Amino acid sequence: MSISEKPNFPWFGMDIGGTLVKLVYFEPIDLTEEEKLKQGDTLRTIQRYLVRNEAYGETGVRDVDLEIKAVKLGDRLGNLHFIRFPTSSMYKFIDLCVKKNLHLLTFKIYATGGGAFKFEAIITKSLNVKWIKCDELEMLVQGIEFMASLNLDEECFFFKIWTTDSNFSNPFSMSQITNFPLLKANFDLQSKKFSDTYPFILVNIGSGVSILLVNSEKDFRRVSGTSIGGGTFLGLCCLLTGCKTYEEAIDLANKGDNTKVDKLVQDIYGGDYPKFSLTSDVVASSFGLMHIKDKREAATKEDLAKATLLAVLNNVGLLAKESAVSHNCEKVVFVGNFLKANTLSKKLLSHALNYWSNGKIKALFLRHEGYFGAIGSLINFALSR
Protein backbone atom coordinates (compact mmCIF):
# COMPACT_ATOMS: atom_id res chain seq x y z
CA MET A 1 0.00 0.00 0.00
CA SER A 2 1.45 3.38 -0.98
CA ILE A 3 1.35 6.58 1.06
CA SER A 4 -1.31 7.97 -1.29
CA GLU A 5 -3.50 4.95 -0.52
CA LYS A 6 -3.17 5.22 3.26
CA PRO A 7 -6.33 4.24 5.12
CA ASN A 8 -8.47 6.79 6.94
CA PHE A 9 -7.94 4.85 10.13
CA PRO A 10 -6.58 4.03 12.67
CA TRP A 11 -6.10 7.40 14.39
CA PHE A 12 -3.58 7.54 17.23
CA GLY A 13 -1.96 10.20 19.35
CA MET A 14 1.01 9.28 21.56
CA ASP A 15 2.96 10.82 24.39
CA ILE A 16 6.08 8.81 25.14
CA GLY A 17 7.38 10.02 28.49
CA GLY A 18 10.32 8.98 30.60
CA THR A 19 8.20 6.64 32.72
CA LEU A 20 4.91 6.03 30.90
CA VAL A 21 3.64 5.89 27.34
CA LYS A 22 0.20 7.41 26.92
CA LEU A 23 -1.79 6.50 23.81
CA VAL A 24 -5.16 7.91 22.76
CA TYR A 25 -7.09 5.94 20.15
CA PHE A 26 -10.00 7.42 18.18
CA GLU A 27 -12.61 4.77 17.37
CA PRO A 28 -14.87 5.99 14.54
CA ILE A 29 -18.60 5.42 15.02
CA ASP A 30 -19.78 7.20 11.88
CA LEU A 31 -18.36 4.84 9.27
CA THR A 32 -20.41 4.70 6.09
CA GLU A 33 -21.38 1.38 4.59
CA GLU A 34 -18.83 1.97 1.87
CA GLU A 35 -16.10 2.60 4.43
CA LYS A 36 -17.07 -0.52 6.32
CA LEU A 37 -16.76 -2.55 3.14
CA LYS A 38 -13.38 -1.04 2.33
CA GLN A 39 -12.05 -1.53 5.86
CA GLY A 40 -9.58 -4.40 5.73
CA ASP A 41 -9.26 -7.32 8.11
CA THR A 42 -6.17 -5.78 9.69
CA LEU A 43 -7.99 -2.56 10.62
CA ARG A 44 -10.96 -4.47 12.01
CA THR A 45 -8.64 -6.69 14.06
CA ILE A 46 -6.81 -3.67 15.47
CA GLN A 47 -10.04 -1.94 16.42
CA ARG A 48 -11.49 -5.02 18.11
CA TYR A 49 -8.27 -5.63 20.01
CA LEU A 50 -8.04 -2.06 21.27
CA VAL A 51 -11.64 -1.51 22.33
CA ARG A 52 -12.54 -4.97 23.65
CA ASN A 53 -9.61 -5.37 26.03
CA GLU A 54 -8.81 -3.59 29.27
CA ALA A 55 -5.30 -5.00 29.49
CA TYR A 56 -2.62 -5.60 26.86
CA GLY A 57 0.18 -7.99 27.65
CA GLU A 58 1.58 -7.77 31.17
CA THR A 59 1.74 -3.99 31.55
CA GLY A 60 -0.66 -2.26 29.15
CA VAL A 61 -3.87 -0.83 30.61
CA ARG A 62 -6.91 0.83 29.04
CA ASP A 63 -8.41 3.35 31.45
CA VAL A 64 -12.02 2.41 30.78
CA ASP A 65 -13.35 4.97 33.24
CA LEU A 66 -11.82 7.77 31.14
CA GLU A 67 -13.41 6.74 27.83
CA ILE A 68 -15.32 9.53 26.09
CA LYS A 69 -18.14 8.67 23.72
CA ALA A 70 -19.37 10.50 20.63
CA VAL A 71 -16.59 13.10 20.33
CA LYS A 72 -16.33 15.28 17.23
CA LEU A 73 -12.76 15.25 15.99
CA GLY A 74 -12.19 17.07 12.74
CA ASP A 75 -15.01 15.95 10.47
CA ARG A 76 -15.51 12.58 12.18
CA LEU A 77 -17.45 11.30 15.17
CA GLY A 78 -16.03 8.65 17.45
CA ASN A 79 -15.07 7.40 20.90
CA LEU A 80 -11.79 8.23 22.61
CA HIS A 81 -9.93 5.40 24.35
CA PHE A 82 -7.04 5.99 26.76
CA ILE A 83 -4.22 3.45 27.03
CA ARG A 84 -0.98 3.52 29.03
CA PHE A 85 2.01 1.27 29.61
CA PRO A 86 5.54 1.67 31.00
CA THR A 87 8.08 3.21 28.64
CA SER A 88 10.34 0.31 29.57
CA SER A 89 7.87 -1.90 27.64
CA MET A 90 8.11 0.16 24.44
CA TYR A 91 9.99 -2.53 22.53
CA LYS A 92 7.38 -5.10 23.56
CA PHE A 93 4.70 -2.71 22.32
CA ILE A 94 6.39 -2.47 18.94
CA ASP A 95 6.62 -6.26 18.75
CA LEU A 96 2.91 -6.48 19.62
CA CYS A 97 2.07 -4.03 16.82
CA VAL A 98 3.95 -6.21 14.37
CA LYS A 99 2.17 -9.30 15.70
CA LYS A 100 -1.18 -7.60 15.11
CA ASN A 101 -0.03 -6.75 11.56
CA LEU A 102 0.01 -3.02 12.15
CA HIS A 103 3.21 -2.97 10.13
CA LEU A 104 1.25 -4.03 7.04
CA LEU A 105 -0.49 -0.65 6.98
CA THR A 106 0.93 2.64 5.83
CA PHE A 107 -0.34 5.44 8.03
CA LYS A 108 0.97 8.22 10.23
CA ILE A 109 1.16 8.83 13.93
CA TYR A 110 1.62 12.16 15.69
CA ALA A 111 3.71 11.71 18.83
CA THR A 112 5.23 13.85 21.53
CA GLY A 113 7.49 13.44 24.55
CA GLY A 114 11.16 12.54 24.67
CA GLY A 115 10.42 9.05 23.41
CA ALA A 116 9.09 10.47 20.14
CA PHE A 117 12.74 11.16 19.35
CA LYS A 118 14.29 8.21 21.16
CA PHE A 119 12.17 5.53 19.46
CA GLU A 120 11.65 7.19 16.07
CA ALA A 121 14.11 5.05 14.12
CA ILE A 122 12.92 1.65 15.32
CA ILE A 123 9.23 2.58 15.03
CA THR A 124 9.46 3.87 11.48
CA LYS A 125 11.51 0.82 10.47
CA SER A 126 9.34 -1.78 12.22
CA LEU A 127 5.88 -0.37 11.59
CA ASN A 128 6.13 1.25 8.16
CA VAL A 129 4.72 4.42 9.70
CA LYS A 130 5.05 8.11 8.97
CA TRP A 131 6.18 9.50 12.32
CA ILE A 132 5.46 13.17 13.09
CA LYS A 133 7.09 14.59 16.22
CA CYS A 134 5.24 17.34 18.08
CA ASP A 135 6.38 19.85 20.68
CA GLU A 136 5.67 18.42 24.12
CA LEU A 137 4.45 21.55 25.89
CA GLU A 138 2.43 22.76 22.91
CA MET A 139 0.61 19.42 22.74
CA LEU A 140 -0.01 19.54 26.48
CA VAL A 141 -1.72 22.94 26.33
CA GLN A 142 -3.69 22.08 23.18
CA GLY A 143 -4.89 18.84 24.75
CA ILE A 144 -6.09 20.63 27.87
CA GLU A 145 -7.90 23.29 25.85
CA PHE A 146 -9.62 20.67 23.70
CA MET A 147 -10.83 18.68 26.68
CA ALA A 148 -12.02 21.86 28.42
CA SER A 149 -14.00 22.78 25.30
CA LEU A 150 -16.01 19.55 25.61
CA ASN A 151 -17.54 20.81 28.89
CA LEU A 152 -17.50 17.32 30.40
CA ASP A 153 -18.94 16.84 33.86
CA GLU A 154 -16.23 16.41 36.51
CA GLU A 155 -13.35 17.06 34.07
CA CYS A 156 -12.10 20.02 36.10
CA PHE A 157 -12.37 19.96 39.88
CA PHE A 158 -10.89 21.31 43.09
CA PHE A 159 -11.05 20.57 46.79
CA LYS A 160 -12.93 22.92 49.07
CA ILE A 161 -11.21 23.92 52.29
CA TRP A 162 -13.67 23.22 55.07
CA THR A 163 -12.18 25.50 57.69
CA THR A 164 -11.16 29.13 58.00
CA ASP A 165 -9.41 28.52 61.30
CA SER A 166 -6.17 30.50 61.30
CA ASN A 167 -4.56 27.72 63.33
CA PHE A 168 -5.09 25.35 60.42
CA SER A 169 -1.71 26.35 59.20
CA ASN A 170 0.71 23.63 58.21
CA PRO A 171 0.44 22.67 54.54
CA PHE A 172 1.80 19.20 55.16
CA SER A 173 0.36 18.36 58.57
CA MET A 174 -1.10 14.88 58.20
CA SER A 175 -3.09 15.17 61.42
CA GLN A 176 -4.76 18.36 60.24
CA ILE A 177 -5.58 16.89 56.84
CA THR A 178 -7.26 13.98 58.68
CA ASN A 179 -9.16 16.19 61.08
CA PHE A 180 -10.24 18.70 58.44
CA PRO A 181 -11.02 16.70 55.29
CA LEU A 182 -11.30 18.43 51.95
CA LEU A 183 -14.46 18.16 49.86
CA LYS A 184 -14.12 17.54 46.13
CA ALA A 185 -16.14 19.97 44.00
CA ASN A 186 -16.55 20.49 40.26
CA PHE A 187 -15.16 23.59 38.60
CA ASP A 188 -18.26 24.50 36.60
CA LEU A 189 -17.16 24.72 32.98
CA GLN A 190 -20.76 25.09 31.82
CA SER A 191 -21.17 28.56 33.30
CA LYS A 192 -17.49 29.47 33.56
CA LYS A 193 -15.27 28.88 30.53
CA PHE A 194 -11.87 27.37 31.15
CA SER A 195 -10.39 30.35 29.31
CA ASP A 196 -11.66 32.51 32.17
CA THR A 197 -8.87 31.03 34.25
CA TYR A 198 -6.20 32.85 32.19
CA PRO A 199 -3.54 33.42 33.16
CA PHE A 200 -2.83 30.27 35.13
CA ILE A 201 0.14 28.20 36.19
CA LEU A 202 0.22 24.71 34.69
CA VAL A 203 2.17 22.10 36.65
CA ASN A 204 2.85 18.90 34.71
CA ILE A 205 4.04 16.19 37.10
CA GLY A 206 5.62 13.41 35.10
CA SER A 207 9.00 11.79 35.65
CA GLY A 208 10.16 15.31 36.38
CA VAL A 209 8.11 18.48 36.66
CA SER A 210 7.57 21.30 34.18
CA ILE A 211 5.83 24.50 35.26
CA LEU A 212 4.27 26.73 32.61
CA LEU A 213 2.73 30.17 32.61
CA VAL A 214 -0.32 29.94 30.32
CA ASN A 215 -1.75 33.26 29.12
CA SER A 216 -3.78 31.67 26.32
CA GLU A 217 -3.81 28.57 24.14
CA LYS A 218 -1.13 30.14 21.93
CA ASP A 219 0.73 32.14 24.56
CA PHE A 220 2.58 30.04 27.12
CA ARG A 221 6.12 29.47 28.33
CA ARG A 222 8.02 27.33 30.78
CA VAL A 223 8.86 29.35 33.88
CA SER A 224 10.16 26.69 36.26
CA GLY A 225 10.57 23.00 36.89
CA THR A 226 12.38 20.39 38.90
CA SER A 227 13.94 16.97 38.43
CA ILE A 228 12.20 15.83 41.62
CA GLY A 229 8.89 14.45 40.35
CA GLY A 230 6.92 11.27 39.81
CA GLY A 231 9.97 9.37 38.62
CA THR A 232 11.75 10.36 41.82
CA PHE A 233 8.89 9.09 43.95
CA LEU A 234 8.68 5.77 42.14
CA GLY A 235 12.43 5.27 41.95
CA LEU A 236 13.02 5.95 45.63
CA CYS A 237 10.05 3.82 46.66
CA CYS A 238 11.40 0.91 44.62
CA LEU A 239 14.78 1.31 46.31
CA LEU A 240 13.43 1.78 49.82
CA THR A 241 10.49 -0.60 49.88
CA GLY A 242 11.08 -3.16 47.15
CA CYS A 243 7.81 -2.31 45.39
CA LYS A 244 7.74 -2.70 41.62
CA THR A 245 4.95 -0.45 40.37
CA TYR A 246 3.57 3.03 40.87
CA GLU A 247 0.29 1.57 42.10
CA GLU A 248 2.12 -0.41 44.78
CA ALA A 249 4.05 2.68 45.85
CA ILE A 250 0.91 4.80 46.21
CA ASP A 251 -0.86 2.03 48.12
CA LEU A 252 2.04 1.86 50.57
CA ALA A 253 2.11 5.65 50.96
CA ASN A 254 -1.59 5.78 51.77
CA LYS A 255 -1.02 3.39 54.68
CA GLY A 256 2.15 4.92 56.09
CA ASP A 257 3.06 7.39 58.84
CA ASN A 258 5.72 9.85 57.75
CA THR A 259 6.30 11.05 61.32
CA LYS A 260 8.23 7.83 61.92
CA VAL A 261 10.69 8.93 59.21
CA ASP A 262 10.63 12.73 59.02
CA LYS A 263 11.99 15.09 61.66
CA LEU A 264 9.22 17.42 62.84
CA VAL A 265 9.33 20.85 64.44
CA GLN A 266 8.50 19.24 67.79
CA ASP A 267 11.55 17.00 67.45
CA ILE A 268 13.69 20.12 67.40
CA TYR A 269 11.79 22.63 69.59
CA GLY A 270 9.76 20.28 71.76
CA GLY A 271 6.54 21.85 70.51
CA ASP A 272 5.30 24.64 68.25
CA TYR A 273 7.50 27.41 66.84
CA PRO A 274 5.00 30.28 67.14
CA LYS A 275 7.32 33.02 65.87
CA PHE A 276 6.92 31.66 62.34
CA SER A 277 3.48 30.08 62.88
CA LEU A 278 4.90 26.57 62.62
CA THR A 279 2.93 23.94 64.49
CA SER A 280 4.68 21.05 66.21
CA ASP A 281 3.80 18.54 63.48
CA VAL A 282 5.33 20.49 60.60
CA VAL A 283 8.01 18.51 58.74
CA ALA A 284 11.30 20.24 59.47
CA SER A 285 13.50 17.70 57.68
CA SER A 286 12.39 14.99 55.28
CA PHE A 287 13.91 11.65 56.35
CA GLY A 288 15.51 13.56 59.20
CA LEU A 289 15.14 10.68 61.68
CA MET A 290 16.75 8.06 59.51
CA HIS A 291 20.26 8.66 60.83
CA ILE A 292 19.09 7.23 64.16
CA LYS A 293 19.45 3.44 64.18
CA ASP A 294 16.38 2.69 66.32
CA LYS A 295 14.19 4.97 64.19
CA ARG A 296 15.57 3.47 61.01
CA GLU A 297 14.84 -0.07 62.15
CA ALA A 298 11.31 0.84 63.30
CA ALA A 299 10.29 2.51 60.03
CA THR A 300 8.05 0.35 57.86
CA LYS A 301 7.84 0.25 54.07
CA GLU A 302 4.61 2.18 54.33
CA ASP A 303 6.24 4.90 56.44
CA LEU A 304 9.10 5.27 53.99
CA ALA A 305 6.72 5.53 51.03
CA LYS A 306 4.64 8.21 52.79
CA ALA A 307 7.76 10.24 53.64
CA THR A 308 8.94 9.96 50.04
CA LEU A 309 5.58 11.18 48.75
CA LEU A 310 5.58 14.18 51.08
CA ALA A 311 9.15 15.10 50.18
CA VAL A 312 8.26 15.21 46.49
CA LEU A 313 5.02 17.12 47.11
CA ASN A 314 6.77 19.67 49.30
CA ASN A 315 9.17 20.46 46.48
CA VAL A 316 6.47 20.62 43.79
CA GLY A 317 4.03 22.61 45.92
CA LEU A 318 6.56 25.27 46.85
CA LEU A 319 7.65 25.77 43.23
CA ALA A 320 4.01 25.98 42.10
CA LYS A 321 3.20 28.57 44.73
CA GLU A 322 6.26 30.70 43.96
CA SER A 323 5.46 30.59 40.24
CA ALA A 324 1.85 31.64 40.86
CA VAL A 325 2.89 34.54 43.09
CA SER A 326 5.63 35.69 40.72
CA HIS A 327 3.22 35.82 37.77
CA ASN A 328 0.11 37.05 39.61
CA CYS A 329 -1.91 33.90 38.93
CA GLU A 330 -4.84 32.89 41.12
CA LYS A 331 -5.13 29.35 39.76
CA VAL A 332 -2.68 26.49 39.47
CA VAL A 333 -3.69 23.55 37.27
CA PHE A 334 -2.00 20.24 38.16
CA VAL A 335 -1.78 17.48 35.55
CA GLY A 336 0.28 14.35 34.94
CA ASN A 337 -0.02 10.62 35.55
CA PHE A 338 1.63 11.03 38.94
CA LEU A 339 -1.78 12.17 40.20
CA LYS A 340 -3.67 9.11 38.95
CA ALA A 341 -5.29 7.19 41.82
CA ASN A 342 -3.46 9.62 44.10
CA THR A 343 -6.16 11.60 45.90
CA LEU A 344 -3.92 12.16 48.91
CA SER A 345 -1.46 14.18 46.84
CA LYS A 346 -4.26 16.27 45.34
CA LYS A 347 -5.60 17.10 48.79
CA LEU A 348 -2.18 17.97 50.15
CA LEU A 349 -1.37 20.22 47.18
CA SER A 350 -4.78 21.90 47.50
CA HIS A 351 -4.28 22.59 51.17
CA ALA A 352 -0.69 23.71 50.67
CA LEU A 353 -1.55 26.34 48.05
CA ASN A 354 -4.51 27.55 50.10
CA TYR A 355 -2.29 27.97 53.16
CA TRP A 356 0.71 29.56 51.48
CA SER A 357 -1.46 32.08 49.61
CA ASN A 358 -3.91 32.82 52.44
CA GLY A 359 -6.70 31.44 50.31
CA LYS A 360 -5.88 33.51 47.22
CA ILE A 361 -4.59 30.66 45.02
CA LYS A 362 -6.79 27.72 44.00
CA ALA A 363 -5.46 24.34 42.94
CA LEU A 364 -7.36 22.78 40.02
CA PHE A 365 -7.15 19.20 38.78
CA LEU A 366 -8.22 17.53 35.53
CA ARG A 367 -9.75 14.07 35.29
CA HIS A 368 -7.72 12.97 32.25
CA GLU A 369 -4.51 13.93 34.10
CA GLY A 370 -1.67 12.40 32.10
CA TYR A 371 -3.20 12.10 28.64
CA PHE A 372 -3.24 15.69 27.44
CA GLY A 373 -0.01 15.46 25.43
CA ALA A 374 -1.38 12.44 23.57
CA ILE A 375 -4.72 14.20 23.07
CA GLY A 376 -2.94 17.22 21.60
CA SER A 377 -1.04 14.93 19.23
CA LEU A 378 -4.27 13.25 18.14
CA ILE A 379 -5.91 16.62 17.47
CA ASN A 380 -3.00 17.65 15.26
CA PHE A 381 -3.33 14.38 13.35
CA ALA A 382 -7.04 15.06 12.76
CA LEU A 383 -6.34 18.62 11.59
CA SER A 384 -3.65 17.40 9.18
CA ARG A 385 -5.98 15.24 7.12
Side-chain angles (χ1 to χ4, degrees):
M1 183 182 291
S2 67
I3 292 291
S4 61
E5 296 172 325
K6 64 182 180 295
N8 285 329
F9 298 100
W11 289 10
F12 296 110
M14 295 186 72
D15 179 2
I16 309 174
T19 304
L20 282 177
V21 176
K22 286 77 66 178
L23 184 151
V24 180
Y25 167 61
F26 180 79
E27 173 201 5
I29 59 175
D30 61 350
L31 292 173
T32 65
E33 290 302 318
E34 182 180 0
E35 285 177 318
K36 290 178 181 178
L37 288 172
K38 288 183 177 180
Q39 190 179 38
D41 290 339
T42 298
L43 285 174
R44 282 191 291 271
T45 299
I46 292 169
Q47 179 169 308
R48 285 196 298 268
Y49 179 72
L50 290 174
V51 303
R52 293 184 181 181
N53 290 289
E54 296 182 16
Y56 313 93
E58 297 179 356
T59 58
V61 175
R62 180 164 65 95
D63 288 312
V64 181
D65 60 312
L66 296 183
E67 179 182 340
I68 307 175
K69 296 184 178 297
V71 175
K72 192 76 173 181
L73 196 58
D75 59 350
R76 303 309 298 253
L77 187 69
N79 303 326
L80 291 180
H81 299 273
F82 300 87
I83 299 167
R84 58 185 164 86
F85 58 90
T87 306
S88 59
S89 297
M90 190 65 189
Y91 293 107
K92 292 182 180 179
F93 168 75
I94 295 171
D95 290 341
L96 178 63
C97 290
V98 173
K99 181 179 179 181
K100 295 296 178 181
N101 292 323
L102 201 64
H103 65 297
L104 298 180
L105 300 173
T106 300
F107 65 106
K108 60 182 177 180
I109 295 178
Y110 278 62
T112 191
F117 296 85
K118 179 179 179 179
F119 296 101
E120 179 180 15
I122 187 171
I123 288 176
T124 54
K125 179 180 179 181
S126 301
L127 300 183
N128 192 32
V129 64
K130 187 175 181 182
W131 188 253
I132 295 89
K133 301 184 293 296
C134 305
D135 179 76
E136 184 173 359
L137 299 183
E138 185 177 347
M139 294 304 98
L140 175 64
V141 174
Q142 287 186 19
I144 290 173
E145 291 292 342
F146 174 78
M147 293 300 292
S149 72
L150 298 179
N151 286 329
L152 300 172
D153 291 339
E154 299 185 347
E155 177 61 41
C156 186
F157 61 92
F158 62 97
F159 289 93
K160 291 181 178 179
I161 307 298
W162 277 18
T163 179
T164 56
D165 184 353
S166 60
N167 292 323
F168 185 39
S169 56
N170 173 27
F172 287 102
S173 167
M174 296 307 298
S175 62
Q176 288 179 328
I177 287 291
T178 301
N179 294 332
F180 296 93
L182 307 182
L183 177 65
K184 181 179 177 181
N186 292 337
F187 184 74
D188 188 3
L189 292 176
Q190 300 291 338
S191 61
K192 186 178 180 64
K193 294 181 180 179
F194 191 74
S195 59
D196 292 338
T197 63
Y198 293 135
F200 63 87
I201 294 296
L202 177 61
V203 181
N204 185 30
I205 311 176
S207 297
V209 180
S210 287
I211 300 179
L212 282 66
L213 169 64
V214 183
N215 293 308
S216 73
E217 183 178 354
K218 301 295 184 181
D219 180 10
F220 57 88
R221 59 189 173 92
R222 190 177 190 273
V223 295
S224 187
T226 174
S227 62
I228 301 176
T232 310
F233 168 70
L234 178 57
L236 287 177
C237 280
C238 288
L239 284 171
L240 295 170
T241 73
C243 69
K244 297 180 180 180
T245 67
Y246 169 78
E247 288 77 13
E248 287 182 69
I250 288 296
D251 184 58
L252 288 171
N254 278 315
K255 298 174 183 177
D257 180 358
N258 70 294
T259 65
K260 304 291 182 61
V261 177
D262 297 333
K263 182 172 290 186
L264 309 180
V265 167
Q266 66 185 10
D267 295 321
I268 299 174
Y269 289 93
D272 297 342
Y273 189 9
K275 182 177 180 179
F276 293 106
S277 301
L278 296 175
T279 56
S280 60
D281 52 3
V282 171
V283 175
S285 174
S286 296
F287 289 83
L289 297 178
M290 291 299 91
H291 68 289
I292 303 172
K293 182 180 179 181
D294 291 346
K295 298 288 186 181
R296 192 164 58 246
E297 292 176 347
T300 66
K301 293 180 179 180
E302 291 81 1
D303 300 336
L304 292 168
K306 174 64 71 61
T308 303
L309 181 65
L310 292 184
V312 170
L313 290 176
N314 190 33
N315 185 58
V316 174
L318 281 171
L319 285 175
K321 173 260 181 180
E322 291 300 328
S323 297
V325 170
S326 297
H327 299 284
N328 298 313
C329 294
E330 296 181 352
K331 294 181 176 64
V332 176
V333 179
F334 291 94
V335 297
N337 265 84
F338 172 76
L339 296 171
K340 183 171 181 60
N342 192 354
T343 301
L344 176 60
S345 290
K346 296 171 187 174
K347 288 185 176 183
L348 288 168
L349 289 169
S350 297
H351 173 42
L353 287 185
N354 182 73
Y355 160 71
W356 280 321
S357 67
N358 292 318
K360 295 179 181 178
I361 300 176
K362 182 187 293 293
L364 296 177
F365 302 92
L366 300 176
R367 185 164 170 259
H368 285 82
E369 291 153 338
Y371 284 102
F372 296 108
I375 294 169
S377 298
L378 179 63
I379 293 167
N380 277 266
F381 170 89
L383 294 175
S384 71
R385 295 178 60 252

